[in-house]
Short mmCIF file of all heavy atoms in Angstrom, two decimals:
data_model
loop_
_atom_site.label_atom_id
_atom_site.label_comp_id
_atom_site.label_asym_id
_atom_site.label_seq_id
_atom_site.Cartn_x
_atom_site.Cartn_y
_atom_site.Cartn_z
N ILE A 1 87.72 45.92 149.54
CA ILE A 1 87.33 47.29 149.25
C ILE A 1 85.81 47.38 149.33
O ILE A 1 85.17 46.55 148.69
CB ILE A 1 87.81 47.76 147.84
CG1 ILE A 1 89.43 47.66 147.83
CG2 ILE A 1 87.36 49.14 147.56
CD1 ILE A 1 89.94 47.79 146.32
N LEU A 2 85.34 48.37 150.01
CA LEU A 2 83.86 48.60 150.07
C LEU A 2 83.56 49.66 149.11
O LEU A 2 84.08 50.78 149.06
CB LEU A 2 83.47 49.11 151.45
CG LEU A 2 81.98 49.59 151.68
CD1 LEU A 2 81.10 48.43 151.46
CD2 LEU A 2 81.72 50.12 153.01
N LEU A 3 82.53 49.39 148.27
CA LEU A 3 82.04 50.24 147.23
C LEU A 3 80.63 50.73 147.59
O LEU A 3 79.77 50.02 147.82
CB LEU A 3 81.96 49.59 145.83
CG LEU A 3 83.26 48.82 145.35
CD1 LEU A 3 83.00 48.17 143.95
CD2 LEU A 3 84.45 49.74 145.30
N SER A 4 80.56 52.05 147.40
CA SER A 4 79.07 52.63 147.55
C SER A 4 78.85 53.23 146.09
O SER A 4 79.49 54.20 145.60
CB SER A 4 79.08 53.77 148.58
OG SER A 4 77.86 54.34 148.64
N ILE A 5 77.74 52.70 145.59
CA ILE A 5 77.49 53.01 144.08
C ILE A 5 76.09 53.61 144.06
O ILE A 5 75.05 53.01 144.51
CB ILE A 5 77.61 51.76 143.22
CG1 ILE A 5 78.93 50.96 143.45
CG2 ILE A 5 77.38 52.14 141.81
CD1 ILE A 5 78.82 49.73 144.19
N LYS A 6 76.01 54.75 143.36
CA LYS A 6 74.67 55.39 143.06
C LYS A 6 74.57 55.55 141.67
O LYS A 6 75.43 56.00 140.88
CB LYS A 6 74.56 56.73 143.80
CG LYS A 6 73.33 57.39 143.67
CD LYS A 6 73.27 58.81 144.30
CE LYS A 6 73.37 58.78 145.79
NZ LYS A 6 72.18 58.18 146.41
N ASP A 7 73.32 55.12 141.12
CA ASP A 7 73.00 55.23 139.72
C ASP A 7 72.53 56.66 139.39
O ASP A 7 71.59 57.19 139.98
CB ASP A 7 71.74 54.31 139.36
CG ASP A 7 71.45 54.28 137.93
OD1 ASP A 7 72.02 55.17 137.15
OD2 ASP A 7 70.65 53.43 137.54
N VAL A 8 73.43 57.40 138.89
CA VAL A 8 73.18 58.86 138.54
C VAL A 8 72.74 59.10 137.02
O VAL A 8 72.76 60.33 136.69
CB VAL A 8 74.39 59.72 138.99
CG1 VAL A 8 74.70 59.66 140.35
CG2 VAL A 8 75.61 59.32 138.06
N THR A 9 72.30 57.98 136.40
CA THR A 9 71.81 58.16 135.07
C THR A 9 70.74 59.22 134.99
O THR A 9 70.72 60.09 134.15
CB THR A 9 71.43 56.79 134.52
OG1 THR A 9 72.51 55.90 134.73
CG2 THR A 9 71.03 56.99 133.01
N GLN A 10 69.79 59.05 135.82
CA GLN A 10 68.58 59.95 135.85
C GLN A 10 69.04 61.27 136.26
O GLN A 10 68.46 62.27 135.84
CB GLN A 10 67.47 59.30 136.86
CG GLN A 10 66.28 60.06 136.91
CD GLN A 10 65.43 59.78 135.49
OE1 GLN A 10 65.68 58.90 134.80
NE2 GLN A 10 64.55 60.80 135.13
N HIS A 11 70.01 61.49 137.27
CA HIS A 11 70.52 62.70 137.71
C HIS A 11 71.16 63.45 136.65
O HIS A 11 71.01 64.67 136.47
CB HIS A 11 71.50 62.43 138.84
CG HIS A 11 72.02 63.65 139.44
ND1 HIS A 11 71.30 64.63 140.10
CD2 HIS A 11 73.29 64.21 139.36
CE1 HIS A 11 72.08 65.65 140.29
NE2 HIS A 11 73.32 65.44 139.94
N LYS A 12 71.98 62.78 135.79
CA LYS A 12 72.61 63.32 134.68
C LYS A 12 71.58 63.89 133.74
O LYS A 12 71.64 65.02 133.12
CB LYS A 12 73.51 62.32 133.98
CG LYS A 12 74.80 62.03 134.77
CD LYS A 12 75.60 63.25 134.83
CE LYS A 12 76.96 62.88 135.51
NZ LYS A 12 77.68 64.18 135.65
N LEU A 13 70.40 63.13 133.47
CA LEU A 13 69.43 63.64 132.63
C LEU A 13 68.77 64.85 133.26
O LEU A 13 68.43 65.74 132.50
CB LEU A 13 68.34 62.48 132.48
CG LEU A 13 67.16 62.77 131.61
CD1 LEU A 13 67.58 63.24 130.14
CD2 LEU A 13 66.14 61.66 131.62
N MET A 14 68.55 64.78 134.51
CA MET A 14 68.03 65.92 135.23
C MET A 14 68.83 67.20 135.07
O MET A 14 68.46 68.31 134.90
CB MET A 14 67.84 65.79 136.81
CG MET A 14 66.69 64.75 137.10
SD MET A 14 66.86 64.11 138.68
CE MET A 14 66.85 65.64 139.58
N GLU A 15 70.24 66.97 135.17
CA GLU A 15 71.10 68.22 135.06
C GLU A 15 71.06 68.69 133.58
O GLU A 15 70.97 69.96 133.51
CB GLU A 15 72.61 67.66 135.20
CG GLU A 15 72.94 67.47 136.76
CD GLU A 15 74.31 67.13 137.07
OE1 GLU A 15 75.12 66.79 135.91
OE2 GLU A 15 74.80 67.23 138.19
N SER A 16 71.04 67.74 132.74
CA SER A 16 70.75 68.21 131.30
C SER A 16 69.53 69.04 131.09
O SER A 16 69.48 70.13 130.33
CB SER A 16 70.89 67.15 130.41
OG SER A 16 72.13 66.38 130.46
N GLN A 17 68.39 68.51 131.62
CA GLN A 17 67.19 69.17 131.48
C GLN A 17 67.26 70.66 132.12
O GLN A 17 66.71 71.55 131.57
CB GLN A 17 66.03 68.31 132.12
CG GLN A 17 65.67 67.00 131.41
CD GLN A 17 64.78 66.15 132.03
OE1 GLN A 17 64.54 66.46 133.34
NE2 GLN A 17 64.23 65.23 131.48
N SER A 18 67.77 70.58 133.39
CA SER A 18 67.86 71.87 134.00
C SER A 18 68.78 72.80 133.30
O SER A 18 68.49 74.04 133.18
CB SER A 18 68.46 71.65 135.47
OG SER A 18 68.62 72.87 136.15
N LYS A 19 69.88 72.42 132.78
CA LYS A 19 70.83 73.30 131.95
C LYS A 19 70.10 73.76 130.69
O LYS A 19 70.19 74.96 130.33
CB LYS A 19 72.05 72.46 131.51
CG LYS A 19 73.26 73.31 131.19
CD LYS A 19 74.40 73.02 131.90
CE LYS A 19 75.49 73.99 131.60
NZ LYS A 19 76.63 73.73 132.46
N LEU A 20 69.31 72.83 130.06
CA LEU A 20 68.56 73.23 128.80
C LEU A 20 67.54 74.26 129.11
O LEU A 20 67.36 75.29 128.48
CB LEU A 20 67.95 72.03 128.17
CG LEU A 20 68.95 71.07 127.46
CD1 LEU A 20 68.13 69.93 127.01
CD2 LEU A 20 69.55 71.78 126.23
N ALA A 21 66.85 74.10 130.33
CA ALA A 21 65.82 75.04 130.75
C ALA A 21 66.53 76.43 131.01
O ALA A 21 66.04 77.52 130.66
CB ALA A 21 65.18 74.54 131.96
N SER A 22 67.76 76.35 131.71
CA SER A 22 68.38 77.58 131.98
C SER A 22 68.96 78.30 130.70
O SER A 22 68.87 79.43 130.57
CB SER A 22 69.64 77.28 132.90
OG SER A 22 69.21 76.81 134.18
N MET A 23 69.52 77.40 129.86
CA MET A 23 69.91 77.91 128.59
C MET A 23 68.81 78.59 127.82
O MET A 23 68.99 79.57 127.15
CB MET A 23 70.56 76.78 127.70
CG MET A 23 71.95 76.37 128.29
SD MET A 23 72.53 74.95 127.40
CE MET A 23 72.68 75.60 125.72
N GLY A 24 67.56 77.95 127.80
CA GLY A 24 66.45 78.52 127.07
C GLY A 24 66.09 79.81 127.64
O GLY A 24 65.91 80.72 126.83
N GLU A 25 66.02 79.95 129.02
CA GLU A 25 65.71 81.20 129.57
C GLU A 25 66.77 82.21 129.25
O GLU A 25 66.57 83.39 128.96
CB GLU A 25 65.60 81.02 130.98
CG GLU A 25 65.14 82.34 131.77
CD GLU A 25 64.76 82.10 133.28
OE1 GLU A 25 64.92 80.85 133.72
OE2 GLU A 25 64.51 83.01 133.91
N MET A 26 68.21 81.81 129.36
CA MET A 26 69.27 82.72 128.98
C MET A 26 69.24 83.21 127.61
O MET A 26 69.58 84.45 127.41
CB MET A 26 70.57 82.08 129.27
CG MET A 26 70.90 81.79 130.75
SD MET A 26 72.43 80.94 130.92
CE MET A 26 73.53 82.09 130.16
N ILE A 27 68.81 82.36 126.64
CA ILE A 27 68.71 82.83 125.29
C ILE A 27 67.72 83.95 125.20
O ILE A 27 67.89 84.95 124.52
CB ILE A 27 68.51 81.65 124.42
CG1 ILE A 27 69.62 80.82 124.24
CG2 ILE A 27 68.03 82.10 122.92
CD1 ILE A 27 69.34 79.41 123.62
N GLY A 28 66.63 83.67 125.87
CA GLY A 28 65.58 84.76 125.99
C GLY A 28 66.14 85.95 126.61
O GLY A 28 65.79 87.14 126.03
N ASN A 29 66.87 85.87 127.67
CA ASN A 29 67.39 87.12 128.36
C ASN A 29 68.48 87.71 127.47
O ASN A 29 68.42 89.00 127.48
CB ASN A 29 68.10 86.56 129.63
CG ASN A 29 67.16 86.14 130.73
OD1 ASN A 29 66.02 86.51 130.63
ND2 ASN A 29 67.71 85.20 131.62
N ILE A 30 69.09 86.88 126.72
CA ILE A 30 70.21 87.57 125.90
C ILE A 30 69.63 88.21 124.69
O ILE A 30 69.84 89.44 124.27
CB ILE A 30 71.14 86.50 125.26
CG1 ILE A 30 72.08 85.94 126.48
CG2 ILE A 30 71.95 87.04 124.14
CD1 ILE A 30 72.84 84.81 125.96
N ALA A 31 68.47 87.65 124.10
CA ALA A 31 67.67 88.29 123.11
C ALA A 31 67.19 89.58 123.57
O ALA A 31 67.17 90.66 122.84
CB ALA A 31 66.59 87.46 122.52
N HIS A 32 66.62 89.58 124.78
CA HIS A 32 66.15 90.85 125.35
C HIS A 32 67.21 91.92 125.67
O HIS A 32 67.13 93.11 125.52
CB HIS A 32 65.32 90.53 126.60
CG HIS A 32 64.89 91.87 127.35
ND1 HIS A 32 63.61 92.56 126.80
CD2 HIS A 32 65.20 92.47 128.42
CE1 HIS A 32 63.35 93.47 127.59
NE2 HIS A 32 64.30 93.57 128.63
N GLN A 33 68.35 91.29 126.17
CA GLN A 33 69.48 92.12 126.66
C GLN A 33 70.22 92.81 125.36
O GLN A 33 70.69 93.88 125.54
CB GLN A 33 70.46 91.35 127.39
CG GLN A 33 71.41 92.00 128.29
CD GLN A 33 72.17 91.08 129.11
OE1 GLN A 33 71.94 89.89 129.22
NE2 GLN A 33 73.10 91.61 130.01
N TRP A 34 70.17 92.12 124.20
CA TRP A 34 70.89 92.53 123.04
C TRP A 34 70.02 93.76 122.28
O TRP A 34 70.50 94.40 121.36
CB TRP A 34 71.09 91.40 122.12
CG TRP A 34 72.48 90.73 122.49
CD1 TRP A 34 72.94 90.79 123.74
CD2 TRP A 34 73.16 89.89 121.83
NE1 TRP A 34 74.22 90.01 123.71
CE2 TRP A 34 74.20 89.42 122.48
CE3 TRP A 34 73.04 89.36 120.42
CZ2 TRP A 34 75.23 88.53 122.04
CZ3 TRP A 34 74.00 88.50 119.85
CH2 TRP A 34 75.04 88.03 120.84
N ARG A 35 68.60 93.65 122.50
CA ARG A 35 67.86 94.65 121.71
C ARG A 35 68.23 96.16 121.86
O ARG A 35 68.28 96.84 120.94
CB ARG A 35 66.35 94.48 122.19
CG ARG A 35 65.63 93.18 121.68
CD ARG A 35 64.17 93.29 121.85
NE ARG A 35 63.65 92.03 121.49
CZ ARG A 35 63.19 91.06 122.29
NH1 ARG A 35 63.42 91.14 123.57
NH2 ARG A 35 62.64 89.96 121.82
N GLN A 36 68.42 96.45 123.13
CA GLN A 36 68.82 97.85 123.37
C GLN A 36 70.30 98.18 122.89
O GLN A 36 70.27 99.22 122.09
CB GLN A 36 68.86 98.20 124.92
CG GLN A 36 69.08 99.58 125.27
CD GLN A 36 68.98 99.91 126.70
OE1 GLN A 36 68.70 98.99 127.44
NE2 GLN A 36 69.26 101.21 127.05
N PRO A 37 71.26 97.39 123.02
CA PRO A 37 72.60 97.81 122.31
C PRO A 37 72.51 97.75 120.80
O PRO A 37 73.01 98.55 120.12
CB PRO A 37 73.48 96.58 122.89
CG PRO A 37 72.87 96.19 124.04
CD PRO A 37 71.36 96.27 123.99
N LEU A 38 71.76 96.74 120.17
CA LEU A 38 71.63 96.56 118.77
C LEU A 38 70.83 97.81 118.26
O LEU A 38 71.04 98.30 117.16
CB LEU A 38 70.97 95.33 118.41
CG LEU A 38 71.85 93.96 118.63
CD1 LEU A 38 71.07 92.73 118.37
CD2 LEU A 38 73.10 94.06 117.79
N SER A 39 69.73 98.16 119.03
CA SER A 39 68.95 99.28 118.59
C SER A 39 69.75 100.61 118.56
O SER A 39 69.68 101.45 117.67
CB SER A 39 67.68 99.47 119.52
OG SER A 39 66.96 100.55 119.18
N LEU A 40 70.63 100.77 119.69
CA LEU A 40 71.49 101.95 119.80
C LEU A 40 72.49 101.93 118.55
O LEU A 40 72.65 103.05 117.94
CB LEU A 40 72.17 102.01 121.05
CG LEU A 40 73.13 103.17 121.41
CD1 LEU A 40 72.32 104.43 121.26
CD2 LEU A 40 73.72 103.05 122.63
N ILE A 41 73.03 100.78 118.24
CA ILE A 41 74.10 100.70 117.25
C ILE A 41 73.34 101.06 115.83
O ILE A 41 73.82 101.73 115.03
CB ILE A 41 74.67 99.35 117.15
CG1 ILE A 41 75.49 99.13 118.32
CG2 ILE A 41 75.48 99.12 115.88
CD1 ILE A 41 76.17 97.61 118.54
N SER A 42 72.01 100.41 115.71
CA SER A 42 71.40 100.63 114.48
C SER A 42 70.93 102.11 114.28
O SER A 42 71.05 102.76 113.27
CB SER A 42 70.06 99.77 114.61
OG SER A 42 69.23 100.12 113.31
N THR A 43 70.61 102.82 115.50
CA THR A 43 70.22 104.18 115.49
C THR A 43 71.49 105.06 115.04
O THR A 43 71.31 105.98 114.21
CB THR A 43 69.70 104.72 116.82
OG1 THR A 43 68.53 103.80 117.19
CG2 THR A 43 69.32 106.09 116.74
N ILE A 44 72.53 104.78 115.60
CA ILE A 44 73.87 105.50 115.35
C ILE A 44 74.16 105.38 113.91
O ILE A 44 74.46 106.41 113.11
CB ILE A 44 75.00 105.12 116.23
CG1 ILE A 44 74.65 105.51 117.63
CG2 ILE A 44 76.27 105.67 115.82
CD1 ILE A 44 75.80 104.90 118.63
N ALA A 45 74.10 104.09 113.36
CA ALA A 45 74.46 103.88 111.99
C ALA A 45 73.42 104.56 111.01
O ALA A 45 73.87 105.16 110.04
CB ALA A 45 74.42 102.34 111.80
N SER A 46 72.12 104.48 111.35
CA SER A 46 71.13 105.06 110.49
C SER A 46 71.31 106.63 110.44
O SER A 46 71.21 107.33 109.44
CB SER A 46 69.71 104.73 110.98
OG SER A 46 69.44 103.40 111.00
N GLY A 47 71.75 107.21 111.71
CA GLY A 47 71.92 108.71 111.79
C GLY A 47 73.02 109.15 110.95
O GLY A 47 73.00 110.16 110.17
#
């Protein structure tokens, strides 16, 4: 049997880093995205 082996330890780390970076940006996006709906809910409730 011929085996072709690639060490993807670093690649896995890169994927995690990339995902964390995306998640960080998404959290910021979600925070921004939720302001308007939350503000609207808060306005309706206050009214």
Side-chain angles (χ1 to χ4, degrees):
I1 301 169
L2 174 64
L3 309 179
S4 176
I5 307 108
K6 183 183 290 291
D7 185 352
V8 294
T9 307
Q10 189 67 23
H11 177 70
K12 287 294 180 183
L13 179 61
M14 289 167 55
E15 284 185 346
S16 298
Q17 291 174 346
S18 178
K19 195 130 187 174
L20 287 172
S22 297
M23 287 172 62
E25 184 172 357
M26 285 180 62
I27 290 171
N29 291 339
I30 290 171
H32 177 79
Q33 198 169 358
W34 279 15
R35 283 192 185 101
Q36 185 178 357
L38 289 174
S39 178
L40 181 59
I41 293 171
S42 177
T43 300
I44 294 171
S46 297

